[in-house]
Amino acid sequence: MLKDRLKEARKKAKKSQKDVVNAVGITQSALSQLETGAVSSSSHLPAIAKFLNVDSYWLQTGNGSSGDESLSSLLPVEPWDDETPLDDDEVEIPFFKDFSFACGSGSINDFIVNEKRKLRMSKSTLRNLSITKDNAVAATATGDSMSPTIQDGDTIHIDLGRKDIKDGRIFVICLGGLNYAKRLYNLPFGGVRIVSDNSEEYPEINLTAEEKETQQFQVIGWIWQIARIERW
């Protein structure tokens, strides 16, 4: 429980309740309520975690450490830049400002090799989804056709190895020389149904097998993760 993690973290850091109150700005009463379990949440928890040198997510949820683990095994998150060595469970994947090149203006592999921007990704995450490092890329989404699922500026993670349409999944596609993120559905005789989540402004498109050829329809890859940073 939060109260137990909080007391454990404070004692491990050798801090009194008064130390926390003075450092964080929380009232003595509010801190006591957290430590007795009278309340189970507070906007001050991230600041408390930082002061006690423990992970904020662990303090609030308990995830990342078992109940009987020592806090000495919890390490603070360290900042990193391009010069920071990769951890054993990390890989770097290409991060594109957009994915417009995917519609035939050159080889995707050439663009991947030449892209200098990178995102760090857990090997175990990719392994659990059966995504190879060579097929993992990320890009910035543009437009609002898939709103609210994908919003302008979100980061989308794409598996270039999964191109077979599974009904209802979101893919990056090329259509008529332009790229889009869309939900796809199989239609009889090789056709495809292309659906936007913002259906009021972007009606769905149905293509026959022949129309897929004439309109240069191509599946680039499956979008397996959407990341969003909230802005004030």
Side-chain angles (χ1 to χ4, degrees):
M1 298 179 67
L2 170 63
K3 65 175 185 177
D4 300 320
R5 294 190 297 274
L6 180 55
K7 286 188 288 187
E8 183 182 358
R10 182 172 59 78
K11 291 177 181 178
K12 189 71 178 181
K14 298 181 180 179
K15 302 294 183 182
S16 66
Q17 285 193 351
K18 185 176 180 180
D19 291 332
V20 177
V21 167
N22 292 338
V24 174
I26 190 174
T27 66
Q28 179 72 46
S29 174
L31 182 60
S32 295
Q33 287 181 317
L34 285 171
E35 290 203 358
T36 59
V39 296
S40 59
S41 181
S42 169
S43 60
H44 289 91
L45 285 176
I48 293 173
K50 183 176 180 180
F51 178 66
L52 298 179
N53 202 32
V54 296
D55 181 75
S56 175
Y57 185 67
W58 171 84
L59 182 62
Q60 295 179 72
T61 68
N63 292 330
S65 173
S66 63
D68 58 357
E69 266 186 333
S70 169
L71 282 176
S72 62
S73 65
L74 298 176
L75 300 177
V77 176
E78 298 290 346
W80 59 269
D81 56 27
D82 291 342
E83 303 302 320
T84 305
L86 291 170
D87 289 342
D88 291 341
D89 186 47
E90 285 185 323
V91 292
E92 288 184 330
I93 65 173
F95 177 47
F96 300 96
K97 183 178 180 181
D98 59 57
F99 215 56
S100 57
F101 68 83
C103 284
S105 58
S107 166
I108 291 179
N109 291 332
D110 290 342
F111 280 95
I112 289 175
V113 170
N114 294 322
E115 179 55 62
K116 302 303 181 185
R117 287 167 296 194
K118 305 290 182 182
L119 282 183
R120 296 191 173 204
M121 177 65 57
S122 166
K123 290 180 182 178
S124 59
T125 297
L126 297 178
R127 185 167 55 248
N128 290 340
L129 291 167
S130 300
I131 301 172
T132 66
K133 175 183 178 297
D134 291 340
N135 283 332
V137 300
T140 301
T142 57
D144 63 350
S145 70
M146 287 300 291
S147 178
T149 308
I150 302 176
Q151 298 183 13
D152 187 68
D154 286 354
T155 298
I156 54 175
H157 293 257
I158 307 152
D159 177 9
L160 301 177
R162 286 192 169 99
K163 303 178 186 292
D164 293 335
I165 296 174
K166 181 177 284 191
D167 288 350
R169 298 295 180 94
I170 303 176
F171 295 84
V172 171
I173 66 170
C174 178
L175 182 64
L178 298 175
N179 70 64
Y180 305 93
K182 300 291 182 184
R183 293 191 191 276
L184 300 181
Y185 298 84
N186 290 291
L187 291 178
F189 309 111
V192 63
R193 179 180 169 219
I194 305 170
V195 178
S196 300
D197 283 4
N198 184 2
S199 57
E200 290 187 4
E201 295 186 50
Y202 300 88
E204 69 176 61
I205 299 170
N206 292 341
L207 299 179
T208 66
E210 293 76 15
E211 289 170 334
K212 286 166 61 177
E213 293 290 334
T214 58
Q215 297 195 36
Q216 300 176 324
F217 172 84
Q218 180 186 5
V219 177
I220 304 302
W222 168 52
I223 297 177
W224 60 272
Q225 178 169 265
I226 304 161
R228 178 171 305 146
I229 298 177
E230 296 294 339
R231 293 173 174 81
W232 187 254

mmCIF file of all heavy atoms in Angstrom, residues 87-121:
data_model
loop_
_atom_site.group_PDB
_atom_site.id
_atom_site.type_symbol
_atom_site.label_atom_id
_atom_site.label_comp_id
_atom_site.label_asym_id
_atom_site.label_seq_id
_atom_site.Cartn_x
_atom_site.Cartn_y
_atom_site.Cartn_z
ATOM 1 N N ASP A 87 21.884 0.925 -22.258
ATOM 2 C CA ASP A 87 21.811 -0.139 -21.269
ATOM 3 C C ASP A 87 21.757 -1.488 -21.990
ATOM 4 O O ASP A 87 21.507 -1.558 -23.198
ATOM 5 C CB ASP A 87 20.548 0.019 -20.407
ATOM 6 C CG ASP A 87 20.638 1.209 -19.467
ATOM 7 O OD1 ASP A 87 21.765 1.682 -19.229
ATOM 8 O OD2 ASP A 87 19.581 1.674 -18.996
ATOM 9 N N ASP A 88 21.975 -2.558 -21.230
ATOM 10 C CA ASP A 88 21.983 -3.891 -21.827
ATOM 11 C C ASP A 88 20.648 -4.234 -22.474
ATOM 12 O O ASP A 88 20.591 -5.002 -23.441
ATOM 13 C CB ASP A 88 22.330 -4.938 -20.765
ATOM 14 C CG ASP A 88 23.780 -4.842 -20.308
ATOM 15 O OD1 ASP A 88 24.584 -4.231 -21.040
ATOM 16 O OD2 ASP A 88 24.088 -5.354 -19.225
ATOM 17 N N ASP A 89 19.542 -3.669 -21.947
ATOM 18 C CA ASP A 89 18.220 -4.000 -22.486
ATOM 19 C C ASP A 89 17.692 -2.903 -23.415
ATOM 20 O O ASP A 89 16.497 -2.813 -23.648
ATOM 21 C CB ASP A 89 17.221 -4.215 -21.342
ATOM 22 C CG ASP A 89 15.874 -4.714 -21.845
ATOM 23 O OD1 ASP A 89 15.866 -5.650 -22.659
ATOM 24 O OD2 ASP A 89 14.837 -4.146 -21.455
ATOM 25 N N GLU A 90 18.573 -2.080 -23.973
ATOM 26 C CA GLU A 90 18.133 -0.991 -24.841
ATOM 27 C C GLU A 90 18.678 -1.133 -26.257
ATOM 28 O O GLU A 90 19.771 -1.659 -26.468
ATOM 29 C CB GLU A 90 18.588 0.361 -24.295
ATOM 30 C CG GLU A 90 17.812 0.870 -23.103
ATOM 31 C CD GLU A 90 18.253 2.268 -22.712
ATOM 32 O OE1 GLU A 90 19.458 2.569 -22.805
ATOM 33 O OE2 GLU A 90 17.398 3.061 -22.309
ATOM 34 N N VAL A 91 17.883 -0.651 -27.204
ATOM 35 C CA VAL A 91 18.336 -0.483 -28.581
ATOM 36 C C VAL A 91 17.883 0.893 -29.045
ATOM 37 O O VAL A 91 16.992 1.504 -28.455
ATOM 38 C CB VAL A 91 17.761 -1.559 -29.537
ATOM 39 C CG1 VAL A 91 18.322 -2.916 -29.210
ATOM 40 C CG2 VAL A 91 16.235 -1.567 -29.488
ATOM 41 N N GLU A 92 18.513 1.384 -30.089
ATOM 42 C CA GLU A 92 18.090 2.633 -30.703
ATOM 43 C C GLU A 92 17.365 2.331 -32.008
ATOM 44 O O GLU A 92 17.818 1.502 -32.801
ATOM 45 C CB GLU A 92 19.289 3.538 -30.983
ATOM 46 C CG GLU A 92 19.899 4.143 -29.740
ATOM 47 C CD GLU A 92 21.025 5.114 -30.060
ATOM 48 O OE1 GLU A 92 21.698 4.918 -31.081
ATOM 49 O OE2 GLU A 92 21.217 6.057 -29.281
ATOM 50 N N ILE A 93 16.231 3.011 -32.206
ATOM 51 C CA ILE A 93 15.485 2.838 -33.447
ATOM 52 C C ILE A 93 15.365 4.190 -34.146
ATOM 53 O O ILE A 93 15.391 5.221 -33.493
ATOM 54 C CB ILE A 93 14.077 2.241 -33.201
ATOM 55 C CG1 ILE A 93 13.208 3.207 -32.391
ATOM 56 C CG2 ILE A 93 14.191 0.898 -32.506
ATOM 57 C CD1 ILE A 93 11.761 2.752 -32.260
ATOM 58 N N PRO A 94 15.263 4.207 -35.484
ATOM 59 C CA PRO A 94 15.147 5.475 -36.208
ATOM 60 C C PRO A 94 13.872 6.219 -35.823
ATOM 61 O O PRO A 94 12.813 5.610 -35.651
ATOM 62 C CB PRO A 94 15.102 5.037 -37.673
ATOM 63 C CG PRO A 94 15.669 3.657 -37.700
ATOM 64 C CD PRO A 94 15.307 3.046 -36.392
ATOM 65 N N PHE A 95 13.992 7.534 -35.695
ATOM 66 C CA PHE A 95 12.849 8.383 -35.361
ATOM 67 C C PHE A 95 12.712 9.469 -36.421
ATOM 68 O O PHE A 95 13.551 10.361 -36.513
ATOM 69 C CB PHE A 95 13.038 9.009 -33.976
ATOM 70 C CG PHE A 95 11.937 9.953 -33.579
ATOM 71 C CD1 PHE A 95 10.615 9.594 -33.747
ATOM 72 C CD2 PHE A 95 12.229 11.184 -33.033
ATOM 73 C CE1 PHE A 95 9.594 10.451 -33.382
ATOM 74 C CE2 PHE A 95 11.220 12.063 -32.667
ATOM 75 C CZ PHE A 95 9.900 11.693 -32.837
ATOM 76 N N PHE A 96 11.661 9.371 -37.219
ATOM 77 C CA PHE A 96 11.458 10.285 -38.337
ATOM 78 C C PHE A 96 10.504 11.409 -37.975
ATOM 79 O O PHE A 96 9.521 11.185 -37.268
ATOM 80 C CB PHE A 96 10.907 9.513 -39.540
ATOM 81 C CG PHE A 96 11.805 8.410 -40.023
ATOM 82 C CD1 PHE A 96 11.598 7.109 -39.611
ATOM 83 C CD2 PHE A 96 12.864 8.682 -40.871
ATOM 84 C CE1 PHE A 96 12.432 6.084 -40.028
ATOM 85 C CE2 PHE A 96 13.698 7.672 -41.297
ATOM 86 C CZ PHE A 96 13.493 6.368 -40.881
ATOM 87 N N LYS A 97 10.826 12.591 -38.477
ATOM 88 C CA LYS A 97 9.935 13.728 -38.267
ATOM 89 C C LYS A 97 8.577 13.452 -38.883
ATOM 90 O O LYS A 97 7.539 13.853 -38.373
ATOM 91 C CB LYS A 97 10.547 15.000 -38.856
ATOM 92 C CG LYS A 97 9.721 16.247 -38.614
ATOM 93 C CD LYS A 97 10.404 17.479 -39.172
ATOM 94 C CE LYS A 97 9.566 18.732 -38.934
ATOM 95 N NZ LYS A 97 10.202 19.946 -39.483
ATOM 96 N N ASP A 98 8.561 12.790 -40.025
ATOM 97 C CA ASP A 98 7.326 12.316 -40.635
ATOM 98 C C ASP A 98 7.657 11.039 -41.401
ATOM 99 O O ASP A 98 8.794 10.582 -41.390
ATOM 100 C CB ASP A 98 6.696 13.357 -41.559
ATOM 101 C CG ASP A 98 7.622 13.768 -42.687
ATOM 102 O OD1 ASP A 98 8.068 12.869 -43.445
ATOM 103 O OD2 ASP A 98 7.899 14.968 -42.831
ATOM 104 N N PHE A 99 6.650 10.463 -42.027
ATOM 105 C CA PHE A 99 6.865 9.181 -42.712
ATOM 106 C C PHE A 99 6.552 9.296 -44.192
ATOM 107 O O PHE A 99 6.185 8.333 -44.842
ATOM 108 C CB PHE A 99 5.992 8.104 -42.056
ATOM 109 C CG PHE A 99 6.650 6.748 -42.021
ATOM 110 C CD1 PHE A 99 7.884 6.579 -41.434
ATOM 111 C CD2 PHE A 99 6.035 5.644 -42.564
ATOM 112 C CE1 PHE A 99 8.492 5.332 -41.381
ATOM 113 C CE2 PHE A 99 6.620 4.387 -42.527
ATOM 114 C CZ PHE A 99 7.864 4.239 -41.934
ATOM 115 N N SER A 100 6.709 10.504 -44.737
ATOM 116 C CA SER A 100 6.309 10.729 -46.126
ATOM 117 C C SER A 100 7.165 9.955 -47.116
ATOM 118 O O SER A 100 6.708 9.594 -48.199
ATOM 119 C CB SER A 100 6.386 12.228 -46.460
ATOM 120 O OG SER A 100 7.680 12.731 -46.236
ATOM 121 N N PHE A 101 8.395 9.646 -46.754
ATOM 122 C CA PHE A 101 9.263 8.904 -47.659
ATOM 123 C C PHE A 101 8.741 7.502 -47.932
ATOM 124 O O PHE A 101 9.121 6.861 -48.898
ATOM 125 C CB PHE A 101 10.674 8.800 -47.082
ATOM 126 C CG PHE A 101 10.760 7.940 -45.854
ATOM 127 C CD1 PHE A 101 10.872 6.565 -45.950
ATOM 128 C CD2 PHE A 101 10.720 8.500 -44.599
ATOM 129 C CE1 PHE A 101 10.934 5.773 -44.827
ATOM 130 C CE2 PHE A 101 10.786 7.717 -43.470
ATOM 131 C CZ PHE A 101 10.893 6.350 -43.586
ATOM 132 N N ALA A 102 7.851 7.029 -47.070
ATOM 133 C CA ALA A 102 7.382 5.650 -47.187
ATOM 134 C C ALA A 102 6.579 5.405 -48.459
ATOM 135 O O ALA A 102 6.300 4.271 -48.802
ATOM 136 C CB ALA A 102 6.525 5.288 -45.978
ATOM 137 N N CYS A 103 6.186 6.461 -49.140
ATOM 138 C CA CYS A 103 5.354 6.297 -50.336
ATOM 139 C C CYS A 103 6.170 6.278 -51.618
ATOM 140 O O CYS A 103 5.782 6.888 -52.618
ATOM 141 C CB CYS A 103 4.298 7.385 -50.378
ATOM 142 S SG CYS A 103 2.944 7.090 -49.237
ATOM 143 N N GLY A 104 7.296 5.631 -51.592
ATOM 144 C CA GLY A 104 7.970 5.324 -52.841
ATOM 145 C C GLY A 104 9.084 6.251 -53.256
ATOM 146 O O GLY A 104 9.740 6.010 -54.274
ATOM 147 N N SER A 105 9.322 7.335 -52.507
ATOM 148 C CA SER A 105 10.391 8.250 -52.917
ATOM 149 C C SER A 105 11.734 7.748 -52.397
ATOM 150 O O SER A 105 12.377 8.364 -51.559
ATOM 151 C CB SER A 105 10.118 9.653 -52.388
ATOM 152 O OG SER A 105 9.998 9.646 -50.981
ATOM 153 N N GLY A 106 12.152 6.589 -52.889
ATOM 154 C CA GLY A 106 13.408 6.014 -52.442
ATOM 155 C C GLY A 106 13.179 4.787 -51.586
ATOM 156 O O GLY A 106 12.062 4.482 -51.194
ATOM 157 N N SER A 107 14.242 4.093 -51.287
ATOM 158 C CA SER A 107 14.156 2.882 -50.492
ATOM 159 C C SER A 107 13.977 3.206 -49.014
ATOM 160 O O SER A 107 14.662 4.061 -48.460
ATOM 161 C CB SER A 107 15.432 2.050 -50.673
ATOM 162 O OG SER A 107 15.533 1.048 -49.696
ATOM 163 N N ILE A 108 13.033 2.520 -48.370
ATOM 164 C CA ILE A 108 12.847 2.704 -46.926
ATOM 165 C C ILE A 108 14.130 2.375 -46.190
ATOM 166 O O ILE A 108 14.534 3.077 -45.265
ATOM 167 C CB ILE A 108 11.689 1.819 -46.429
ATOM 168 C CG1 ILE A 108 10.355 2.342 -46.966
ATOM 169 C CG2 ILE A 108 11.659 1.769 -44.908
ATOM 170 C CD1 ILE A 108 9.175 1.504 -46.550
ATOM 171 N N ASN A 109 14.796 1.316 -46.593
ATOM 172 C CA ASN A 109 16.035 0.921 -45.914
ATOM 173 C C ASN A 109 17.099 1.998 -46.006
ATOM 174 O O ASN A 109 17.866 2.220 -45.069
ATOM 175 C CB ASN A 109 16.550 -0.393 -46.501
ATOM 176 C CG ASN A 109 15.663 -1.570 -46.152
ATOM 177 O OD1 ASN A 109 14.991 -1.569 -45.122
ATOM 178 N ND2 ASN A 109 15.639 -2.576 -47.014
ATOM 179 N N ASP A 110 17.163 2.702 -47.155
ATOM 180 C CA ASP A 110 18.140 3.784 -47.294
ATOM 181 C C ASP A 110 17.831 4.910 -46.315
ATOM 182 O O ASP A 110 18.743 5.475 -45.690
ATOM 183 C CB ASP A 110 18.138 4.320 -48.727
ATOM 184 C CG ASP A 110 18.730 3.337 -49.720
ATOM 185 O OD1 ASP A 110 19.449 2.415 -49.272
ATOM 186 O OD2 ASP A 110 18.474 3.484 -50.927
ATOM 187 N N PHE A 111 16.563 5.253 -46.181
ATOM 188 C CA PHE A 111 16.187 6.312 -45.253
ATOM 189 C C PHE A 111 16.464 5.902 -43.809
ATOM 190 O O PHE A 111 16.883 6.722 -42.988
ATOM 191 C CB PHE A 111 14.708 6.663 -45.420
ATOM 192 C CG PHE A 111 14.435 7.564 -46.589
ATOM 193 C CD1 PHE A 111 14.060 7.033 -47.806
ATOM 194 C CD2 PHE A 111 14.572 8.941 -46.479
ATOM 195 C CE1 PHE A 111 13.806 7.855 -48.898
ATOM 196 C CE2 PHE A 111 14.320 9.775 -47.557
ATOM 197 C CZ PHE A 111 13.939 9.231 -48.770
ATOM 198 N N ILE A 112 16.227 4.647 -43.473
ATOM 199 C CA ILE A 112 16.480 4.158 -42.116
ATOM 200 C C ILE A 112 17.972 4.263 -41.784
ATOM 201 O O ILE A 112 18.354 4.708 -40.700
ATOM 202 C CB ILE A 112 15.990 2.705 -41.970
ATOM 203 C CG1 ILE A 112 14.453 2.677 -41.976
ATOM 204 C CG2 ILE A 112 16.540 2.063 -40.704
ATOM 205 C CD1 ILE A 112 13.867 1.289 -41.961
ATOM 206 N N VAL A 113 18.806 3.871 -42.718
ATOM 207 C CA VAL A 113 20.251 3.923 -42.491
ATOM 208 C C VAL A 113 20.724 5.353 -42.290
ATOM 209 O O VAL A 113 21.587 5.643 -41.456
ATOM 210 C CB VAL A 113 20.998 3.264 -43.675
ATOM 211 C CG1 VAL A 113 22.496 3.537 -43.574
ATOM 212 C CG2 VAL A 113 20.743 1.764 -43.703
ATOM 213 N N ASN A 114 20.144 6.295 -43.045
ATOM 214 C CA ASN A 114 20.625 7.677 -43.023
ATOM 215 C C ASN A 114 19.976 8.552 -41.957
ATOM 216 O O ASN A 114 20.441 9.665 -41.717
ATOM 217 C CB ASN A 114 20.396 8.321 -44.398
ATOM 218 C CG ASN A 114 21.241 7.670 -45.482
ATOM 219 O OD1 ASN A 114 22.388 7.303 -45.237
ATOM 220 N ND2 ASN A 114 20.689 7.515 -46.682
ATOM 221 N N GLU A 115 18.909 8.057 -41.312
ATOM 222 C CA GLU A 115 18.248 8.867 -40.295
ATOM 223 C C GLU A 115 19.111 8.956 -39.035
ATOM 224 O O GLU A 115 19.520 7.946 -38.480
ATOM 225 C CB GLU A 115 16.877 8.253 -39.946
ATOM 226 C CG GLU A 115 16.122 9.015 -38.869
ATOM 227 C CD GLU A 115 15.941 10.471 -39.205
ATOM 228 O OE1 GLU A 115 15.279 10.780 -40.221
ATOM 229 O OE2 GLU A 115 16.475 11.316 -38.453
ATOM 230 N N LYS A 116 19.398 10.184 -38.601
ATOM 231 C CA LYS A 116 20.273 10.388 -37.451
ATOM 232 C C LYS A 116 19.511 10.446 -36.129
ATOM 233 O O LYS A 116 20.076 10.157 -35.070
ATOM 234 C CB LYS A 116 21.065 11.689 -37.625
ATOM 235 C CG LYS A 116 21.909 11.727 -38.901
ATOM 236 C CD LYS A 116 22.884 10.567 -38.972
ATOM 237 C CE LYS A 116 23.734 10.626 -40.249
ATOM 238 N NZ LYS A 116 24.605 9.434 -40.392
ATOM 239 N N ARG A 117 18.258 10.846 -36.178
ATOM 240 C CA ARG A 117 17.483 10.916 -34.939
ATOM 241 C C ARG A 117 17.113 9.513 -34.474
ATOM 242 O O ARG A 117 16.748 8.664 -35.288
ATOM 243 C CB ARG A 117 16.220 11.756 -35.153
ATOM 244 C CG ARG A 117 16.490 13.243 -35.263
ATOM 245 C CD ARG A 117 15.290 13.981 -35.779
ATOM 246 N NE ARG A 117 14.969 13.573 -37.147
ATOM 247 C CZ ARG A 117 14.149 14.239 -37.936
ATOM 248 N NH1 ARG A 117 13.549 15.316 -37.499
ATOM 249 N NH2 ARG A 117 13.906 13.810 -39.164
ATOM 250 N N LYS A 118 17.174 9.303 -33.175
ATOM 251 C CA LYS A 118 16.927 7.974 -32.626
ATOM 252 C C LYS A 118 16.032 8.060 -31.394
ATOM 253 O O LYS A 118 15.995 9.065 -30.690
ATOM 254 C CB LYS A 118 18.247 7.298 -32.226
ATOM 255 C CG LYS A 118 19.281 7.207 -33.341
ATOM 256 C CD LYS A 118 18.886 6.233 -34.430
ATOM 257 C CE LYS A 118 19.971 6.138 -35.503
ATOM 258 N NZ LYS A 118 19.582 5.214 -36.601
ATOM 259 N N LEU A 119 15.313 6.967 -31.161
ATOM 260 C CA LEU A 119 14.604 6.766 -29.905
ATOM 261 C C LEU A 119 15.146 5.514 -29.242
ATOM 262 O O LEU A 119 15.477 4.544 -29.927
ATOM 263 C CB LEU A 119 13.106 6.591 -30.140
ATOM 264 C CG LEU A 119 12.254 7.835 -30.416
ATOM 265 C CD1 LEU A 119 10.798 7.427 -30.532
ATOM 266 C CD2 LEU A 119 12.422 8.885 -29.343
ATOM 267 N N ARG A 120 15.200 5.531 -27.924
ATOM 268 C CA ARG A 120 15.639 4.350 -27.198
ATOM 269 C C ARG A 120 14.440 3.473 -26.875
ATOM 270 O O ARG A 120 13.385 3.958 -26.495
ATOM 271 C CB ARG A 120 16.380 4.743 -25.929
ATOM 272 C CG ARG A 120 17.661 5.493 -26.244
ATOM 273 C CD ARG A 120 18.542 5.667 -25.041
ATOM 274 N NE ARG A 120 19.827 6.242 -25.464
ATOM 275 C CZ ARG A 120 20.942 6.117 -24.804
ATOM 276 N NH1 ARG A 120 20.978 5.445 -23.671
ATOM 277 N NH2 ARG A 120 22.052 6.662 -25.249
ATOM 278 N N MET A 121 14.632 2.185 -27.029
ATOM 279 C CA MET A 121 13.540 1.235 -26.882
ATOM 280 C C MET A 121 14.037 0.003 -26.141
ATOM 281 O O MET A 121 15.175 -0.428 -26.333
ATOM 282 C CB MET A 121 13.009 0.846 -28.273
ATOM 283 C CG MET A 121 11.918 -0.189 -28.294
ATOM 284 S SD MET A 121 10.402 0.367 -27.512
ATOM 285 C CE MET A 121 10.068 1.850 -28.492
#
